[in-house]
C-alpha cells in the first residue's frame, strides 16, 4: 500500500535574537515572568523590514530538499501554512513558488494557525496517496514580529511569538510500516474570538479606520487562560484518539513533537499521556511560538540532533487559534 513518507525536513530562522531582557527594555515585563509562565528565553525576529514568511521559507525548503535527496525543481505542489501571510493576497505559497523558480507548480495557502502543519499534512497525505502529486513541499512560515504590539498593552501576547519557517518534503513510499499512519484534525469556531485579530476585516466598511487602530483592533487579542484550558484538554484528547484508533500504545511512541506554544502546556500534555520527559521535544526556549512553523521546526531540529531518526514513531499534536487542534502519527 502506498503511504506518504516524510522524505526530508528543513528549517530556517532569522539571525536576530531577541531575549526576554531585550523585551523588558521595550515594555513592562521580565525574564523571570516570561520564563516561569512559558519557558521562553528568547525568540528570533526578522533583521529588517521587507522579509516575509515566503522569504524565510526559501532556505527551509532548500534544506528539506537536500535532506530528502531531491532537487527543488522536483517539487510538484506547495502547501503554505501561515497566519501572517506576506500580503493580504495572494497567498505566501505563490510568492514562495516564484522565489524557488517553480512556475506553474500549484500553491495552496491554508489558514489554520498553530494547527496549520497538521491540516496541511492531512491534505498532502490525501494528494499523495491518490497519486495526484509526488513531491509536496509542506511549509509552515511566520513573521510575527511585525504584527505584535510591543508595548505595555500588548505584553501578554508580544512575549510569546517569534519568526521562523520550516518545511517537510512529502512523497509516496512502499516501504513497509513507513509513513503517515493517521492525521486527525478538528475546529470549533465558538472559540474564534479567544485568540484573533479583529481588523482589518472585509465585513467592516471600510475594512480599517483610524478608530480601529486606536482601539487596538489591529493587534492579536488573546484570552490566555481560556486558550490554556482548551489546549491542555484538547491536545491530550486528540493524541489519545489517534493512538487508540491505530492500536498504538504510549510506550510505542519514540518522540512527541508538540506545537510549541507554552512549555507548561506541553509538560502537562506529556504528563496526561504518561510520556517520559525525554520523549518530548521542547525548543520553545529558543524560538517562542512560531505557530505553523513550530512542529516542523521542532522535528527538523530533533532530526538534526539525531533525536528523531528513520524508523522512529513520531506523535505530533497541536492546538491554536480557531480554535483548531489535531494530532498525527508518522513513522519516519
Ligand atoms: O498557540 C496558541 C497560542 N497561545 C497559547 O497557547 C497561550 C495559552 N496561555 C498561556 O500560555 C498563558 O495564559 C499565558 C502565558 C499567556 C499567561 O499566563 P497566565 O498564568 O495565564 O497569566 P495571566 O494572563 O493570568 O496574567 C497574570 C498576571 C497579570 O497581572 P495581575 O492581573 O495578576 O496583576 C497580567 O497582567 O501577569 C500579568 N502579565 C504580565 N506580566 C509580565 C501578563 N502578561 C505579562 C507579561 N509580563 N508579558
Amino acid at each position: 500500500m502506498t503511504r506518504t513518507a516524510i522524505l526530508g525536513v528543513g528549517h530556517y530562522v532569522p539571525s536576530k535574537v531577541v531575549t526576554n531582557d531585550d523585551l523588558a527594555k521595550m515594555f513592562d515585563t521580565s525574564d523571570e515572568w516570561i520564563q516561569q509562565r512559558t519557558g521562553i528565553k528568547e525568540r528570533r525576529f526578522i533583521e529588517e523590514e521587507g522579509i516575509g514568511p515566503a522569504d524565510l521559507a526559501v532556505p527551509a525548503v532548500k534544506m528539506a530538499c537536500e535532506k530528502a535527496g531531491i532537487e527543488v525543481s522536483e517539487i510538484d505542489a506547495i502547501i503554505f501554512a501561515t497566519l501572517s501571510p506576506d500580503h493580504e493576497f495572494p497567498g505566501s505559497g505563490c510568492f514562495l513558488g516564484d522565489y524557488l523558480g517553480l512556475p506553474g507548480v500549484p500553491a495552496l495557502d491554508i489558514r489554520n494557525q498553530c494547527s496549520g502543519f497538521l491540516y496541511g499534512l492531512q491534505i498532502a497525505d490525501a494528494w499523495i496517496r491518490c497519486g495526484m502529486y509526488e513531491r509536496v513541499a509542506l511549509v509552515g512560515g511566520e513573521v510575527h514580529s511585525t504584527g505584535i504590539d510591543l508595548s505595555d498593552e500588548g505584553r501578554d501576547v508580544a512575549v510569546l511569538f517569534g519568526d521562523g519557517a520550516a518545511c517537510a518534503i512529502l512523497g509516496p513510499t512502499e516501504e513497509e510500516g513507513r509513513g503517515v499512519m493517521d492525521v486527525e484534525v478538528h475546529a470549533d469556531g465558538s472559540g474564534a474570538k479567544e485568540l484573533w485579530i479583529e481588523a482589518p476585516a472585509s465585513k467592516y466598511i471600510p475594512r480599517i479606520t483610524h478608530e480601529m487602530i486606536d482601539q487596538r483592533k489591529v493587534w492579536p487579542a488573546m484570552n490566555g487562560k481560556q486558550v490554556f484550558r482548551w489546549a491542555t484538554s484538547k491536545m491530550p484528547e486528540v493524541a489519545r484518539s489517534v493512538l487508540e484508533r491505530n492500536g498504538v500504545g504510549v510506550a510505542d511512541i519514540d518522540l512527541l513533537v508538540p506545537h510549541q506554544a507554552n512549555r507548561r502546556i506541553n509538560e502537562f500534555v506529556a504528563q496526561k499521556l504518561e510520556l517520559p520527559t525525554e520523549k518530548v521535544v521542547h525548543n520553545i526556549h529558543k524560538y517562542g511560538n512560531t505557530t505553523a512553523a513550530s512542529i516542523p521546526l521542532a522535528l527538523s531540529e530533533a532530526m538534526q540532533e539525531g533525536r528523531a531518526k528513520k524508523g522512529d514513531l513520531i506523535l505530533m499534536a497541536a492546538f491554536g487559534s480557531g480554535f483548531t487542534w489535531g494530532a498525527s502519527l508518522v513513522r519516519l
Side-chain angles (χ1 to χ4, degrees), residues 28-30 33 37-38 114 155-156 159-161 195 222 224-225 227-228 259 261-262 264-265 289 319-320:
D28 182 16
T29 190
S30 69
W33 191 96
R37 308 270 173 153
T38 70
C114 303
R155 66 177 183 172
D156 58 330
V159 298
L160 301 178
F161 294 97
L195 177 50
M222 179 179 73
K225 286 216 181 312
V227 178
F228 194 97
H259 166 54
N262 184 324
R264 280 161 56 218
I265 293 178
N289 182 350
F319 182 87

mmCIF file of all heavy atoms in Angstrom, residues 28-30 33 37-38 114 155-156 159-161 195 222 224-225 227-228 259 261-262 264-265 289 319-320, ligand 1:
data_model
loop_
_atom_site.group_PDB
_atom_site.id
_atom_site.type_symbol
_atom_site.label_atom_id
_atom_site.label_comp_id
_atom_site.label_asym_id
_atom_site.label_seq_id
_atom_site.Cartn_x
_atom_site.Cartn_y
_atom_site.Cartn_z
ATOM 1 N N ASP A 28 6.782 46.725 29.989
ATOM 2 C CA ASP A 28 6.811 46.244 31.370
ATOM 3 C C ASP A 28 6.655 44.723 31.437
ATOM 4 O O ASP A 28 5.548 44.186 31.478
ATOM 5 C CB ASP A 28 5.666 46.940 32.133
ATOM 6 C CG ASP A 28 5.652 46.548 33.600
ATOM 7 O OD1 ASP A 28 6.682 46.006 34.078
ATOM 8 O OD2 ASP A 28 4.612 46.756 34.256
ATOM 9 N N THR A 29 7.792 44.030 31.425
ATOM 10 C CA THR A 29 7.784 42.576 31.593
ATOM 11 C C THR A 29 9.125 42.179 32.196
ATOM 12 O O THR A 29 9.963 43.045 32.477
ATOM 13 C CB THR A 29 7.538 41.849 30.245
ATOM 14 O OG1 THR A 29 7.309 40.472 30.503
ATOM 15 C CG2 THR A 29 8.718 41.992 29.287
ATOM 16 N N SER A 30 9.336 40.896 32.417
ATOM 17 C CA SER A 30 10.624 40.472 32.974
ATOM 18 C C SER A 30 10.968 39.082 32.478
ATOM 19 O O SER A 30 10.086 38.277 32.153
ATOM 20 C CB SER A 30 10.566 40.471 34.504
ATOM 21 O OG SER A 30 9.697 39.426 34.924
ATOM 22 N N TRP A 33 9.247 36.467 34.657
ATOM 23 C CA TRP A 33 7.822 36.217 34.374
ATOM 24 C C TRP A 33 7.679 35.352 33.129
ATOM 25 O O TRP A 33 6.941 34.367 33.125
ATOM 26 C CB TRP A 33 7.063 37.551 34.175
ATOM 27 C CG TRP A 33 5.569 37.382 34.137
ATOM 28 C CD1 TRP A 33 4.702 37.535 35.181
ATOM 29 C CD2 TRP A 33 4.756 37.006 33.006
ATOM 30 N NE1 TRP A 33 3.410 37.280 34.782
ATOM 31 C CE2 TRP A 33 3.410 36.949 33.445
ATOM 32 C CE3 TRP A 33 5.022 36.695 31.677
ATOM 33 C CZ2 TRP A 33 2.344 36.612 32.602
ATOM 34 C CZ3 TRP A 33 3.961 36.348 30.833
ATOM 35 C CH2 TRP A 33 2.640 36.312 31.305
ATOM 36 N N ARG A 37 6.242 31.468 33.212
ATOM 37 C CA ARG A 37 4.902 31.176 32.656
ATOM 38 C C ARG A 37 4.937 30.410 31.357
ATOM 39 O O ARG A 37 3.958 29.775 30.997
ATOM 40 C CB ARG A 37 4.131 32.477 32.396
ATOM 41 C CG ARG A 37 4.059 33.427 33.544
ATOM 42 C CD ARG A 37 2.846 33.163 34.405
ATOM 43 N NE ARG A 37 2.907 33.990 35.598
ATOM 44 C CZ ARG A 37 1.854 34.387 36.271
ATOM 45 N NH1 ARG A 37 0.655 34.057 35.879
ATOM 46 N NH2 ARG A 37 2.002 35.102 37.361
ATOM 47 N N THR A 38 6.048 30.538 30.589
ATOM 48 C CA THR A 38 6.031 29.972 29.225
ATOM 49 C C THR A 38 7.224 29.086 28.874
ATOM 50 O O THR A 38 7.149 28.299 27.941
ATOM 51 C CB THR A 38 6.023 31.110 28.169
ATOM 52 O OG1 THR A 38 7.305 31.758 28.179
ATOM 53 C CG2 THR A 38 4.948 32.138 28.439
ATOM 54 N N CYS A 114 -1.924 27.556 14.552
ATOM 55 C CA CYS A 114 -0.942 26.646 15.154
ATOM 56 C C CYS A 114 -1.130 25.194 14.711
ATOM 57 O O CYS A 114 -0.227 24.380 14.844
ATOM 58 C CB CYS A 114 -1.023 26.727 16.675
ATOM 59 S SG CYS A 114 -0.779 28.403 17.258
ATOM 60 N N ARG A 155 1.618 43.286 26.007
ATOM 61 C CA ARG A 155 2.685 42.428 26.520
ATOM 62 C C ARG A 155 2.285 40.966 26.685
ATOM 63 O O ARG A 155 3.133 40.078 26.582
ATOM 64 C CB ARG A 155 3.208 42.975 27.852
ATOM 65 C CG ARG A 155 2.174 42.923 28.973
ATOM 66 C CD ARG A 155 2.749 43.395 30.280
ATOM 67 N NE ARG A 155 1.769 43.280 31.353
ATOM 68 C CZ ARG A 155 2.027 43.481 32.624
ATOM 69 N NH1 ARG A 155 3.239 43.828 33.003
ATOM 70 N NH2 ARG A 155 1.074 43.357 33.530
ATOM 71 N N ASP A 156 0.992 40.715 26.970
ATOM 72 C CA ASP A 156 0.593 39.314 27.207
ATOM 73 C C ASP A 156 0.838 38.454 25.961
ATOM 74 O O ASP A 156 1.238 37.301 26.053
ATOM 75 C CB ASP A 156 -0.880 39.215 27.652
ATOM 76 C CG ASP A 156 -1.847 39.809 26.646
ATOM 77 O OD1 ASP A 156 -1.467 40.752 25.929
ATOM 78 O OD2 ASP A 156 -2.992 39.314 26.568
ATOM 79 N N VAL A 159 5.165 38.709 24.172
ATOM 80 C CA VAL A 159 6.300 37.915 24.668
ATOM 81 C C VAL A 159 6.302 36.490 24.110
ATOM 82 O O VAL A 159 7.294 35.784 24.225
ATOM 83 C CB VAL A 159 6.304 37.852 26.220
ATOM 84 C CG1 VAL A 159 6.461 39.248 26.800
ATOM 85 C CG2 VAL A 159 5.051 37.172 26.774
ATOM 86 N N LEU A 160 5.181 36.088 23.506
ATOM 87 C CA LEU A 160 5.030 34.667 23.151
ATOM 88 C C LEU A 160 5.587 34.291 21.784
ATOM 89 O O LEU A 160 6.025 33.166 21.581
ATOM 90 C CB LEU A 160 3.537 34.270 23.169
ATOM 91 C CG LEU A 160 2.774 34.460 24.474
ATOM 92 C CD1 LEU A 160 1.310 34.067 24.276
ATOM 93 C CD2 LEU A 160 3.388 33.624 25.593
ATOM 94 N N PHE A 161 5.538 35.251 20.832
ATOM 95 C CA PHE A 161 5.717 34.833 19.438
ATOM 96 C C PHE A 161 7.069 35.179 18.831
ATOM 97 O O PHE A 161 7.695 36.166 19.194
ATOM 98 C CB PHE A 161 4.592 35.428 18.574
ATOM 99 C CG PHE A 161 3.244 34.856 18.925
ATOM 100 C CD1 PHE A 161 2.388 35.513 19.790
ATOM 101 C CD2 PHE A 161 2.863 33.627 18.415
ATOM 102 C CE1 PHE A 161 1.154 34.963 20.130
ATOM 103 C CE2 PHE A 161 1.630 33.079 18.751
ATOM 104 C CZ PHE A 161 0.770 33.751 19.614
ATOM 105 N N LEU A 195 -8.704 34.116 20.507
ATOM 106 C CA LEU A 195 -7.354 34.406 20.021
ATOM 107 C C LEU A 195 -7.492 34.789 18.559
ATOM 108 O O LEU A 195 -7.674 33.924 17.702
ATOM 109 C CB LEU A 195 -6.450 33.162 20.199
ATOM 110 C CG LEU A 195 -5.014 33.258 19.677
ATOM 111 C CD1 LEU A 195 -4.297 34.498 20.159
ATOM 112 C CD2 LEU A 195 -4.205 32.018 20.087
ATOM 113 N N MET A 222 -5.908 37.982 22.928
ATOM 114 C CA MET A 222 -5.953 36.601 23.421
ATOM 115 C C MET A 222 -6.498 36.531 24.839
ATOM 116 O O MET A 222 -6.115 37.322 25.690
ATOM 117 C CB MET A 222 -4.538 36.016 23.389
ATOM 118 C CG MET A 222 -4.460 34.587 23.905
ATOM 119 S SD MET A 222 -2.784 33.926 23.810
ATOM 120 C CE MET A 222 -1.997 34.827 25.128
ATOM 121 N N GLY A 224 -5.728 34.388 27.369
ATOM 122 C CA GLY A 224 -4.687 33.382 27.620
ATOM 123 C C GLY A 224 -5.154 32.207 28.456
ATOM 124 O O GLY A 224 -4.855 31.052 28.153
ATOM 125 N N LYS A 225 -5.911 32.511 29.515
ATOM 126 C CA LYS A 225 -6.342 31.438 30.418
ATOM 127 C C LYS A 225 -7.255 30.451 29.704
ATOM 128 O O LYS A 225 -7.177 29.237 29.907
ATOM 129 C CB LYS A 225 -7.049 32.028 31.634
ATOM 130 C CG LYS A 225 -6.087 32.678 32.591
ATOM 131 C CD LYS A 225 -6.528 32.462 34.033
ATOM 132 C CE LYS A 225 -5.596 33.123 35.035
ATOM 133 N NZ LYS A 225 -4.175 32.880 34.834
ATOM 134 N N VAL A 227 -7.412 29.884 26.428
ATOM 135 C CA VAL A 227 -6.633 29.119 25.435
ATOM 136 C C VAL A 227 -5.862 28.005 26.147
ATOM 137 O O VAL A 227 -5.825 26.861 25.694
ATOM 138 C CB VAL A 227 -5.660 30.038 24.649
ATOM 139 C CG1 VAL A 227 -4.835 29.221 23.663
ATOM 140 C CG2 VAL A 227 -6.421 31.128 23.911
ATOM 141 N N PHE A 228 -5.279 28.348 27.277
ATOM 142 C CA PHE A 228 -4.511 27.368 28.061
ATOM 143 C C PHE A 228 -5.403 26.188 28.456
ATOM 144 O O PHE A 228 -5.038 25.024 28.308
ATOM 145 C CB PHE A 228 -3.947 28.056 29.311
ATOM 146 C CG PHE A 228 -2.875 27.265 30.019
ATOM 147 C CD1 PHE A 228 -1.540 27.536 29.781
ATOM 148 C CD2 PHE A 228 -3.202 26.256 30.918
ATOM 149 C CE1 PHE A 228 -0.541 26.814 30.422
ATOM 150 C CE2 PHE A 228 -2.213 25.538 31.559
ATOM 151 C CZ PHE A 228 -0.886 25.816 31.316
ATOM 152 N N HIS A 259 3.257 21.130 19.190
ATOM 153 C CA HIS A 259 3.310 22.565 18.883
ATOM 154 C C HIS A 259 3.898 23.285 20.096
ATOM 155 O O HIS A 259 3.603 22.936 21.237
ATOM 156 C CB HIS A 259 1.883 23.061 18.591
ATOM 157 C CG HIS A 259 1.775 24.544 18.596
ATOM 158 N ND1 HIS A 259 2.596 25.331 17.818
ATOM 159 C CD2 HIS A 259 0.980 25.390 19.295
ATOM 160 C CE1 HIS A 259 2.297 26.600 18.044
ATOM 161 N NE2 HIS A 259 1.323 26.665 18.929
ATOM 162 N N ALA A 261 3.733 26.225 22.102
ATOM 163 C CA ALA A 261 3.026 27.450 22.482
ATOM 164 C C ALA A 261 3.409 27.874 23.893
ATOM 165 O O ALA A 261 3.453 29.060 24.206
ATOM 166 C CB ALA A 261 1.521 27.257 22.418
ATOM 167 N N ASN A 262 3.668 26.873 24.719
ATOM 168 C CA ASN A 262 3.976 27.131 26.115
ATOM 169 C C ASN A 262 4.546 25.830 26.681
ATOM 170 O O ASN A 262 3.921 24.776 26.562
ATOM 171 C CB ASN A 262 2.684 27.526 26.858
ATOM 172 C CG ASN A 262 2.931 27.905 28.297
ATOM 173 O OD1 ASN A 262 3.795 27.327 28.964
ATOM 174 N ND2 ASN A 262 2.193 28.881 28.777
ATOM 175 N N ARG A 264 4.747 24.827 29.606
ATOM 176 C CA ARG A 264 3.869 24.249 30.632
ATOM 177 C C ARG A 264 2.751 23.430 30.003
ATOM 178 O O ARG A 264 2.362 22.382 30.526
ATOM 179 C CB ARG A 264 3.275 25.362 31.511
ATOM 180 C CG ARG A 264 4.243 25.854 32.581
ATOM 181 C CD ARG A 264 3.830 27.223 33.107
ATOM 182 N NE ARG A 264 2.472 27.244 33.621
ATOM 183 C CZ ARG A 264 1.619 28.268 33.476
ATOM 184 N NH1 ARG A 264 1.985 29.358 32.825
ATOM 185 N NH2 ARG A 264 0.419 28.210 33.988
ATOM 186 N N ILE A 265 2.225 23.905 28.866
ATOM 187 C CA ILE A 265 1.165 23.148 28.188
ATOM 188 C C ILE A 265 1.725 21.791 27.766
ATOM 189 O O ILE A 265 1.112 20.745 27.995
ATOM 190 C CB ILE A 265 0.630 23.912 26.946
ATOM 191 C CG1 ILE A 265 -0.102 25.190 27.364
ATOM 192 C CG2 ILE A 265 -0.268 23.012 26.094
ATOM 193 C CD1 ILE A 265 -0.634 26.040 26.195
ATOM 194 N N ASN A 289 6.802 30.932 20.223
ATOM 195 C CA ASN A 289 5.764 30.261 19.438
ATOM 196 C C ASN A 289 5.873 30.731 17.981
ATOM 197 O O ASN A 289 5.632 31.902 17.695
ATOM 198 C CB ASN A 289 4.396 30.616 20.040
ATOM 199 C CG ASN A 289 3.232 29.942 19.327
ATOM 200 O OD1 ASN A 289 3.401 29.347 18.261
ATOM 201 N ND2 ASN A 289 2.056 30.022 19.916
ATOM 202 N N PHE A 319 -2.522 22.715 19.087
ATOM 203 C CA PHE A 319 -3.755 23.434 19.425
ATOM 204 C C PHE A 319 -3.522 24.915 19.158
ATOM 205 O O PHE A 319 -2.451 25.434 19.446
ATOM 206 C CB PHE A 319 -4.137 23.260 20.904
ATOM 207 C CG PHE A 319 -5.429 23.948 21.230
ATOM 208 C CD1 PHE A 319 -6.631 23.288 21.048
ATOM 209 C CD2 PHE A 319 -5.447 25.273 21.653
ATOM 210 C CE1 PHE A 319 -7.842 23.937 21.297
ATOM 211 C CE2 PHE A 319 -6.648 25.931 21.906
ATOM 212 C CZ PHE A 319 -7.844 25.249 21.725
ATOM 213 N N GLY A 320 -4.514 25.589 18.606
ATOM 214 C CA GLY A 320 -4.333 27.012 18.371
ATOM 215 C C GLY A 320 -5.598 27.748 18.023
ATOM 216 O O GLY A 320 -6.718 27.214 18.128
HETATM 217 O O1 LIG B 1 -0.745 28.557 20.079
HETATM 218 C C1 LIG B 1 -1.715 29.000 20.956
HETATM 219 C C2 LIG B 1 -1.244 30.332 21.431
HETATM 220 N N1 LIG B 1 -1.455 30.721 22.769
HETATM 221 C C3 LIG B 1 -1.369 29.939 23.872
HETATM 222 O O2 LIG B 1 -1.228 28.757 23.868
HETATM 223 C C4 LIG B 1 -1.470 30.700 25.156
HETATM 224 C C5 LIG B 1 -2.050 29.908 26.285
HETATM 225 N N2 LIG B 1 -1.999 30.675 27.504
HETATM 226 C C6 LIG B 1 -0.858 30.846 28.200
HETATM 227 O O3 LIG B 1 0.181 30.316 27.831
HETATM 228 C C7 LIG B 1 -0.914 31.680 29.461
HETATM 229 O O4 LIG B 1 -2.239 32.026 29.738
HETATM 230 C C8 LIG B 1 -0.037 32.962 29.369
HETATM 231 C C9 LIG B 1 1.433 32.574 29.396
HETATM 232 C C10 LIG B 1 -0.336 33.731 28.102
HETATM 233 C C11 LIG B 1 -0.298 33.866 30.580
HETATM 234 O O5 LIG B 1 -0.101 33.160 31.777
HETATM 235 P P1 LIG B 1 -1.169 33.248 32.940
HETATM 236 O O6 LIG B 1 -0.613 32.487 34.071
HETATM 237 O O7 LIG B 1 -2.491 32.815 32.399
HETATM 238 O O8 LIG B 1 -1.129 34.775 33.303
HETATM 239 P P2 LIG B 1 -2.327 35.834 33.325
HETATM 240 O O9 LIG B 1 -2.752 36.155 31.952
HETATM 241 O O10 LIG B 1 -3.360 35.387 34.299
HETATM 242 O O11 LIG B 1 -1.603 37.077 33.936
HETATM 243 C C12 LIG B 1 -1.101 37.052 35.284
HETATM 244 C C13 LIG B 1 -0.513 38.414 35.564
HETATM 245 C C14 LIG B 1 -1.490 39.555 35.282
HETATM 246 O O12 LIG B 1 -1.290 40.541 36.277
HETATM 247 P P3 LIG B 1 -2.311 40.642 37.517
HETATM 248 O O13 LIG B 1 -3.662 40.892 36.909
HETATM 249 O O14 LIG B 1 -2.222 39.330 38.224
HETATM 250 O O15 LIG B 1 -1.775 41.807 38.292
HETATM 251 C C15 LIG B 1 -1.027 40.100 33.973
HETATM 252 O O16 LIG B 1 -1.323 41.454 33.803
HETATM 253 O O17 LIG B 1 0.634 38.647 34.748
HETATM 254 C C16 LIG B 1 0.465 39.897 34.055
HETATM 255 N N3 LIG B 1 1.110 39.797 32.752
HETATM 256 C C17 LIG B 1 2.423 40.007 32.571
HETATM 257 N N4 LIG B 1 3.391 40.358 33.428
HETATM 258 C C18 LIG B 1 4.636 40.487 32.914
HETATM 259 C C19 LIG B 1 0.550 39.451 31.562
HETATM 260 N N5 LIG B 1 1.491 39.446 30.604
HETATM 261 C C20 LIG B 1 2.648 39.793 31.206
HETATM 262 C C21 LIG B 1 3.966 39.956 30.735
HETATM 263 N N6 LIG B 1 4.925 40.293 31.627
HETATM 264 N N7 LIG B 1 4.311 39.753 29.459
#
